[in-house]
Amino acid sequence: NRAGGASGGSDSWYAAMSRAWGQTLDAQATRITNLSDVIGNGGDQPSNVVALTAESLKMQFLSNNASTSQNSVGQALETLGRKQ
């Protein structure tokens, strides 16, 4: 691994960052799916609906931040590549 790479065999820190975002989003999607299953199986109490809404909003927040960081870093790498 290069310096800053993850132990998963990443060949760059950019790939490691992408993998970390993916894992974070996967975990959040699992929480949403689990809450949705609870509600779908008769657990439609207001507290579960509010929890699902909160987790969905958290997913939106994480997704937006993942996209922004990926785009920003990608543009910076592109700029560096042009200068060399």
Side-chain angles (χ1 to χ4, degrees), residues 2-3 8 10-12 16 20 25 27 34-35 40 45 48-49 56 66 72 74-78:
R2 293 181 185 171
S10 171
D11 55 355
S12 73
L25 292 171
N34 291 342
L35 279 168
Q45 293 86 359
N48 288 337
V49 174
S56 295
S72 296
Q75 288 173 358
L77 290 174
E78 182 180 349

Side-chain angles (χ1 to χ4, degrees), residues 24-53:
T24 300
L25 292 171
D26 285 349
Q28 186 62 24
T30 298
R31 284 192 282 279
I32 291 169
T33 300
N34 291 342
L35 279 168
S36 181
D37 288 344
V38 167
I39 291 170
N41 290 324
D44 58 350
Q45 293 86 359
S47 60
N48 288 337
V49 174
V50 169
L52 177 60
T53 301

Side-chain angles (χ1 to χ4, degrees), residues 13-28 57-75:
W13 62 267
Y14 184 72
M17 180 183 75
S18 298
R19 188 171 33 262
W21 272 121
Q23 291 169 349
T24 300
L25 292 171
D26 285 349
Q28 186 62 24
L57 290 171
K58 183 177 178 182
M59 178 64 148
Q60 180 182 5
F61 175 81
L62 290 170
S63 181
N64 287 339
N65 280 286
S67 177
T68 299
S69 67
Q70 292 286 88
N71 289 337
S72 296
V73 172
Q75 288 173 358

